[in-house]
Every structure is written in structure tokens, then in C-alpha cells.
Amino acid sequence: MKRKLALFGLLLIVSFIWITPVTHVSAAEPIVIGVPTSLGFLEGKEAHKAVQIAVSEINAKGGVNVGGTNRLLKVAAADLRDAAPGVPVPEALLGLEKNILEQKPAAIVVGPFRSEALIAGMDIIAKYKVPMLGTVAMSPTSEKKIKEDPEKYKYIFRTCLNSIFLAKYLAGGMALINKEFGFNKVFVMHQDVAWARAGAGAMKAMFFDKAGWDVLGMEAYPTGSADFSSGLMKARASGAQVIMPIFDMPQSGILVKQWKAMKVPALMFGFISPLAGSQAWKTFDGKIGGGMNCIFEIGNSIASPNVPKSLAFTSKYKQVFGSDIQSGHGVAPAYESVYILAEAIERAGSLDPDAIVAELEKTDRMGVLGRVKYGEGNQAVYGIDPNETAVGAVIQWTEDGKRKIVFPETLANGKIHLPPGLKSMK
Amino acid sequence: MFLGTVVYALINSVILALMAIGFNLTFGISGVANFAYGALYVTAAYVSWMLLNLLKLPYFLSAFISILFTTLLGALMYRFILLRVRGQALSEVIATFGIGLAILELFRYLGFVGFEYTLPVFIDQSFFILGAYVDMQRILIVIFGALLILGLWVFTHHTSLGLAFRGIAQDERTALSLGIDSDWIATLAVSFGAGLAAIAATIIIPLGSISPSEGYSVLIKALAVCIIGGLGSTGGVIVASFIIGFAERFTDSYISSHWTMIVSLAAILIVLIVKPSGLFGEQKELEERI
């Protein structure tokens, strides 16, 4: 009996010794950052890489100090495929929930690619109370939902710009075009997805109708559309001076090629993913001179010396991955989001989601995007002065294959030039 | 505007026919519904891109090698995988769909995602035809499409191999009794179908870009055309391509581009309700059921 008791005691001691270090190790386990998005699409792929850079930089400095303990960060990515045509929202939501349940992230960055998936997924994020810093989906509907029930949806933040801010940049560019060349007839072609519909609608309501522009047509194209000839013929027949595209699907490159091939005498200014990066010149055989594109956030496919950290980030990206950032959206905000999150965790001193959210709300950080502060509906505020807000930019391709920032004035290093064949109205 | 729409509708129709003709040939001869068809289309494009950009081979040599490679890939796919499940329709669908999925997702996993994945146009010029500018690549698509369909007709009607193809398609047992090796012909049918997918990719991809999702899109378009035209019927494929091609462009121009994709889906639904075997389909058992 004594022997059995001694054996039992020994077992208890061994168990205690065994368990104690395990507890200690688990306290210093890495903080998991979930990256559930469409990893097979350019913006998702490059945003994931940006997160990896930020995480490695933070880890190289010892990690994040959580209540006196330094903890490393760990990335747990999941491909939601929500940007692919035909993938239903519920399938993307399953991927999101799986990422949360299996990886147990302390927070999510990047998040669902399509606004449709984000809006539907907000209930899942609220249910598990996982702070999320979105950097791709752009529909302002998510902010509306947050404002309606702030306690429930307070975990959802957006570091990238939304469709309303996009419309403001496009409006700024259009006003400049009107001022310089007297153009006021526009034909709108947009992807039939929430963010693009919201962007096109906001442009019409907030700018074109008020500024006296003629909107000659608004064509919505389902994701995956591969022929834009009819829309371009309509634009030409109606006498459009500016074509405003809003697309993020890979097939939108066809629109650029058709615009050139069909010799449509109109300036192309809006957002087409394939036009944003340095590679576009080669992709389109140098036939994009004059094309204007909105870079949603500075530090993506273009940087500015007026935002020094954007230059540092883009060159670091090239150094690590061997190629420039090609996306005009979501990449720099993904990088910045990791730092914003890390700082919020350090200030909170814990991984409690409510404490992190309370600190995220207080964010005021000068970084890659300019100055990031979250405003109404937890949306990062975008403007035209990088010392006051986060900033985006409008670029124009020159005839010799360079990209110049033409708007806003605080970042501009060039003026708008009409491509050959287009004449100013002034 | 009307004539311009007709021109682009004609081009759209030929593009659809090119996308579907290989799928139809394989099914018509071997009876295999090759759901890896879209993946083979994308593979051909990526191989061309790699030869052109990584090995710096001349464009037409790259295209030629990629067509040969994809044709061989089709043959290997049949000999090593499909031969084992031939005749079991469900297993064939699962096997080919699985192969297609694996190929496309492998490209995605390996990072073949981005706008730089595109092929150059053959000749960079535009012409003003019937009120609209049309680029030379699209004109070449129409010419290649017409030549390919003509060539396919000559092949199946005036060559011994082509007649063997038709023999197997009409009655496999009788063809066997005449000494035609059905497994060999089926191998060639899958292989030629893959080759046709590669030719289509070589001609069509320069209009846009290469991405894994393009594989799914091509498969859906090929299926839509074949279901409407009637699986296995070349004439049906051509007629269905023109129906969908014209309907899409006219919907674009005169209703709204928002509804364009609905057109082909609605056409499939109507055909399945009215004539389940397709406009020129020969699967009489389907007809007898309604």
C-alpha cells in the first residue's frame, strides 16, 4: 500500500513538473494572426506577402510585448476563394469560420476579398469576437451595419479605403480633367459587385450630377466578363470624352486592350487592376500611354517621397520577393494593419478582444499610408494630405512607360497629358 | 452600332466554337466527357508563356511546343487514368474533374496569378470593318476558326483515321469487328481534344490574360455550347455557338451587359426542358423520356 502511495506521489510530482513548463510555454506561444482572403487573386496574394513582411520585422525585434511577455507573431492564412466567379458566399464563410475555429487567431487582417462575403461574415466575426482589420473589401454597407449595432460589430475595422473615399479620389481626378481640358461627358463601365456598384453610384450622386457632367451610360459587367466591345461602341457612339472603368477582375485587362484596339477617342480614367502595377507596360505591349488609374492607397504599386515609409515598404517588398508590388489596392494597408494591431495589443497589455478593440479605436499612426486614424464605422479616414489622413493617388501612364502621380497635389509629380489623338476642349 | 454588334457577335461565336470543339470531339468519339478540358486549355497557355518568357523561345515555336505538349498530356491522361474507368460515366466525370481541379489549383498554388501572365497578339493592327474597329487578332480568330472546322470536317470524312473516328462514334462493336482498335482511337480522341483546347488557347488568350479561373470559365462555356448543340454533334456545336454568341452581344448592346451571362444559362434551361439531348443531339433515350 505504501509503495502504491509512493508511486502515486511520484506520478503526481512528475505530472506537475511535466505540466508546469507546458503552461509556461503556452503563455509565450505565438500570437496567431488570421489572413483569410482570396489568396489566388493578386490583391489577396500580395496582401498576404505584406503581412508576412510586417510579421517578420516585428518578430526580428522580439515580437509583441503583451503585459510584460514578449510574444512572436504567426500568420495563419486561408484561401476563401470569394473573389472567384461562381464561388457562393456561404462557401467563403465556411472558410472564414474554419480559419477562426482551427487557428484560433487573436485577430484577423486582410479579411474577405468581396464585400458580399465581408458583410455576410460580419456576424461570424462578431460571434467569435475576433478583431478584424480589413484591407480589401470596400463596400460602405459594412460601416452602416457597424453604426446600426456598434456593440455587436465593434470588432470590424477597415484600414483600406472604402468606395466613398474612392469616389472622392475619382471626383478629384475628374475635376482636374474638367479644369485642364474642359471634358464633361463620361461613360461608366463597372464590375457588377458591391464595392464597384457603390463606387460608381457614389460618383454619379456625389460628383457627376452635381458638377454638371453628362453620364452617357452606366454598364455593369458580371465578374468574369471577357468582351467589352459593346460598351466601348456605346461610349464611342455617344461621344464620351472620358471612360470611367471600375474593375478588379483579371479579365478587365481585356477592356484595356479593346480600348486601344478599337481606337475609342476617350480618356480612360478609373480603376482597372491590371493597369496599376509597373508590369502593365509590358503586359499591354506599351500601349497604355495616357491611361489614368486610381491607386487606392499609397505604398501599393506606387510610393511617394512625400510619404517616406511608403518608399521604404515598397523597396523592402521588392528586396524580399524579388518583384514590385503590382496591385493598386490592399497591400500597404495589410502591412500597416499588422503594425496597428501589434501596437494596439501592446497598449492593451492583453489579447482580450474588447481591450484590443478599445485600443484600435484610439489608433493614430504615421506610417506607410500616411496618418491612419479610424473614423465613423471604424473606417480609416482618407484624404489628400498624408500628414493629416491616409492617402491614395491618381497616376497616369506616360508615353514612355513611366507612371506619374497627377492627384492629389500634395503627392503629384506630374501633370495630366492627353494621349495622341485626343484633343482638349479648351 | 448594329453592324458593329454583328461583327463582334460573329467573333464571339467563333471564340465559343473554338472553346467547345475539342470537348465535343472527345465526347463524340470516346464518349468521355473531359471535365479537365478547361485545365488543359490553361495549361497550354501557361506552357507557352513559360517557354516564351523563361526560356526566351520564339513565340510561334513556344505555341507549337505547347500544343504538342498538351496533346501528349491528353493522351497520357487517357492511357494512365481514363482507360481504367472507361465506360463508367460517373467515374469518368469524377476522374477528369479531379485531374482538372488538381492542375488548376496547382498553378494557383505555384503562384501563377497576376496580370503579367498574358501572350502577345500575332499581329498588332486594327481595321475599320462595318462601322467598328476590329483588331487583327480577332480577325485571325475567325479565319483560324473557319479553317479548323473545315480541317476537322476533311479529317473525319476523307482520311482513314478520321473514318475510324466516325466508325467508333457510330458503333464501337461493329468498328471493333472491322479491326479498329477502340482504345487507341479513344486515346487519340482525348489527345486531339486536348490539342484543340491548346490551339484555342493559343489564339484566344492574347485577347486577355491567363489565370487558373479561366479554366473553369472555358469549361462552363464549352459545356453550355455542347449542351445546347447536342453532345457529340459538330454541327450542333457550331449552331449553338452562333446562338449564344449573337445572343450575348445583342443582349450587351441592346438590353444590358448585366444580363449577358444569364443568356447562355437561360438557353441551357430552355433546351433541357424542350429538347434534352440538345438541338442536334443523338441521345434518343433522353428524347423518349419526355
Side-chain angles (χ1 to χ4, degrees):
Chain A
M1 186 64 189
K2 276 185 182 173
R3 200 177 162 183
K4 275 186 183 174
L5 271 175
L7 204 65
F8 182 68
L10 189 69
L11 197 69
L12 272 179
I13 292 164
V14 169
S15 304
F16 181 74
I17 292 166
W18 183 261
I19 289 164
T20 308
V22 168
T23 313
H24 176 72
V25 168
S26 72
E29 272 180 359
I31 299 166
V32 177
I33 297 179
V35 184
T37 190
S38 273
L39 297 171
F41 277 69
L42 187 67
E43 288 83 354
K45 185 175 91 169
E46 292 190 337
H48 179 213
K49 287 180 175 176
V51 170
Q52 289 171 316
I53 292 177
V55 163
S56 68
E57 285 175 354
I58 292 169
N59 285 348
K61 288 177 185 165
V64 179
N65 187 318
V66 188
T69 307
N70 272 10
R71 293 178 62 174
L72 300 180
L73 297 177
K74 181 185 158 194
V75 180
D79 191 0
L80 300 187
R81 297 173 54 86
D82 53 331
V87 173
V89 168
E91 192 180 313
L93 298 187
L94 274 178
L96 175 65
E97 194 158 21
K98 191 167 176 267
N99 184 254
I100 293 172
L101 290 174
E102 287 183 356
Q103 303 295 336
K104 302 195 170 19
I108 286 171
V109 294
V110 187
F113 193 104
R114 286 268 165 259
S115 296
E116 289 84 345
L118 169 65
I119 293 158
M122 285 173 76
D123 288 295
I124 293 173
I125 293 161
K127 179 179 158 191
Y128 295 107
K129 298 186 175 182
V130 185
M132 191 195 92
L133 290 85
T135 76
V136 181
M138 288 170 51
S139 169
T141 310
S142 60
E143 290 144 53
K144 194 175 161 221
K145 218 169 156 177
I146 294 167
K147 282 184 215 164
E148 283 168 4
D149 193 347
E151 189 51 36
K152 182 178 177 187
Y153 298 119
K154 66 181 179 184
Y155 305 96
I156 296 139
F157 292 75
R158 176 158 38 217
T159 314
C160 65
L161 91 175
N162 65 7
S163 302
I164 303 294
F165 286 119
L166 168 64
K168 287 182 180 174
Y169 284 121
L170 292 174
M174 290 291 177
L176 201 56
I177 289 170
N178 177 265
K179 184 181 153 198
E180 298 280 327
F181 310 110
F183 293 165
N184 62 356
K185 290 177 182 169
V186 65
F187 192 90
V188 182
M189 300 168 83
H190 66 86
Q191 200 170 334
D192 198 5
V193 287
W195 76 271
R197 276 194 304 269
M203 267 304 278
K204 187 171 185 311
M206 287 166 49
F207 178 74
F208 291 134
D209 290 347
K210 289 179 183 168
W213 281 61
D214 286 337
V215 180
L216 304 170
M218 285 184 87
E219 292 281 317
Y221 291 85
T223 302
S225 297
D227 192 326
F228 303 90
S229 54
S230 301
L232 290 168
M233 279 191 280
K234 283 183 200 173
R236 171 191 278 274
S238 59
Q241 295 155 331
V242 181
I243 294 172
M244 190 183 84
I246 307 181
F247 291 90
D248 68 2
M249 60 189 190
Q251 294 86 348
S252 56
I254 298 170
L255 172 57
V256 182
K257 289 186 178 181
Q258 281 194 309
W259 165 61
K260 274 286 175 184
M262 293 176 76
K263 300 181 192 285
V264 183
L267 192 62
M268 180 82 86
F269 169 42
F271 180 76
I272 294 188
S273 303
L275 265 190
S278 56
Q279 190 71 37
W281 189 255
K282 190 178 167 221
T283 301
F284 298 112
D285 303 322
K287 297 209 160 39
I288 49 175
M292 292 170 67
N293 215 35
C294 187
I295 305 299
F296 290 1
E297 304 94 8
I298 201 77
N300 288 319
S301 56
I302 201 153
S304 166
N306 296 352
V307 187
K309 285 189 178 175
S310 69
L311 282 174
F313 167 61
T314 49
S315 59
K316 178 77 183 278
Y317 186 99
K318 189 171 184 179
Q319 181 197 329
V320 173
F321 295 108
S323 60
D324 289 322
I325 296 169
Q326 294 302 315
S327 170
H329 175 48
V331 187
Y335 175 83
E336 195 66 5
S337 291
V338 179
Y339 276 98
I340 291 169
L341 177 67
E343 287 174 8
I345 291 173
E346 288 198 341
R347 289 198 302 271
S350 87
L351 293 181
D352 174 60
D354 291 307
I356 295 174
V357 164
E359 292 304 324
L360 282 173
E361 285 168 357
K362 296 176 195 162
T363 297
D364 186 353
R365 178 183 153 79
M366 283 297 289
V368 173
L369 305 172
R371 186 175 184 179
V372 176
K373 287 193 281 187
Y374 293 106
E376 280 191 352
N378 293 346
Q379 165 65 48
V381 181
Y382 278 76
I384 54 171
D385 182 356
N387 294 315
E388 294 298 321
T389 61
V391 284
V394 175
I395 58 148
Q396 184 177 36
W397 280 95
T398 61
E399 290 300 327
D400 58 349
K402 292 188 174 64
R403 291 170 300 159
K404 297 277 184 194
I405 298 177
V406 293
F407 182 85
E409 209 175 318
T410 49
L411 305 181
N413 59 357
K415 286 194 172 294
I416 302 173
H417 290 279
L418 290 183
L422 254 183
K423 284 182 185 163
S424 170
M425 300 296 288
K426 284 193 170 176
Chain B
M1 181 80 183
F2 175 78
L3 289 175
T5 305
V6 170
V7 170
Y8 275 93
L10 172 71
I11 295 163
N12 192 34
S13 306
V14 178
I15 288 174
L16 287 171
L18 277 170
M19 283 178 175
I21 202 89
F23 183 91
N24 185 68
L25 175 86
T26 302
F27 184 82
I29 309 299
S30 67
V32 173
N34 184 5
F35 278 72
Y37 185 77
L40 293 167
Y41 175 96
V42 167
T43 301
Y46 275 126
V47 170
S48 270
W49 184 90
M50 282 188 271
L51 294 172
L52 184 67
N53 290 282
L54 304 181
L55 297 184
K56 306 288 181 197
L57 293 184
Y59 182 28
F60 288 101
L61 181 62
S62 306
F64 182 69
I65 294 173
S66 89
I67 291 167
L68 281 185
F69 174 82
T70 315
T71 307
L72 183 66
L73 191 65
L76 293 174
M77 195 174 91
Y78 185 83
R79 291 308 283 191
F80 290 103
I81 300 168
L82 297 179
L83 187 59
R84 295 154 203 262
V85 293
R86 187 162 178 228
Q88 301 169 49
L90 189 60
S91 301
E92 286 171 357
V93 168
I94 292 169
T96 54
F97 192 74
I99 294 166
L101 210 62
I103 293 172
L104 292 174
E105 293 310 313
L106 182 68
F107 280 122
R108 203 188 294 277
Y109 177 77
L110 293 175
F112 284 88
V113 177
F115 306 120
E116 68 268 35
Y117 297 103
T118 186
L119 297 174
V121 292
F122 294 178
I123 301 168
D124 188 18
Q125 264 185 304
S126 292
F127 297 94
F128 195 68
I129 301 171
L130 297 174
Y133 275 98
V134 182
D135 52 295
M136 192 61 194
Q137 190 69 23
R138 284 181 168 77
I139 295 169
L140 286 175
I141 283 175
V142 175
I143 295 168
F144 271 111
L147 287 176
L148 202 67
I149 289 164
L150 185 69
L152 209 59
W153 184 84
V154 171
F155 169 73
T156 50
H157 287 77
H158 297 283
T159 66
S160 55
L161 185 60
L163 290 170
F165 267 47
R166 289 174 66 208
I168 293 288
Q170 283 168 13
D171 193 324
E172 191 171 338
R173 283 170 186 271
T174 310
L176 271 169
S177 70
L178 292 170
I180 299 170
D181 182 347
S182 67
D183 282 339
W184 173 239
I185 295 296
T187 306
L188 288 179
V190 176
S191 170
F192 282 19
L196 288 171
I199 292 172
T202 305
I203 307 169
I204 297 168
I205 287 287
L207 297 179
S209 59
I210 319 164
S211 71
S213 57
E214 193 66 16
Y216 299 109
S217 166
V218 166
L219 177 64
I220 290 168
K221 283 178 182 167
L223 276 173
V225 168
C226 290
I227 289 170
I228 292 170
L231 276 164
S233 162
T234 306
V237 162
I238 294 164
V239 172
S241 299
F242 274 77
I243 290 172
I244 299 176
F246 271 75
E248 281 186 348
R249 288 292 73 83
F250 273 84
T251 306
D252 245 8
S253 292
Y254 295 102
I255 302 174
S256 165
S257 51
H258 176 78
W259 299 103
T260 307
M261 283 199 170
I262 302 292
V263 169
S264 48
L265 298 174
I268 291 175
L269 272 179
I270 293 167
V271 168
L272 284 177
I273 292 166
V274 178
K275 202 166 185 298
S277 62
L279 297 176
F280 294 84
E282 289 165 358
Q283 290 169 291
K284 297 294 176 198
E285 63 271 26
L286 284 175
E287 300 295 323
E288 285 158 12
R289 284 188 197 171
I290 60 166

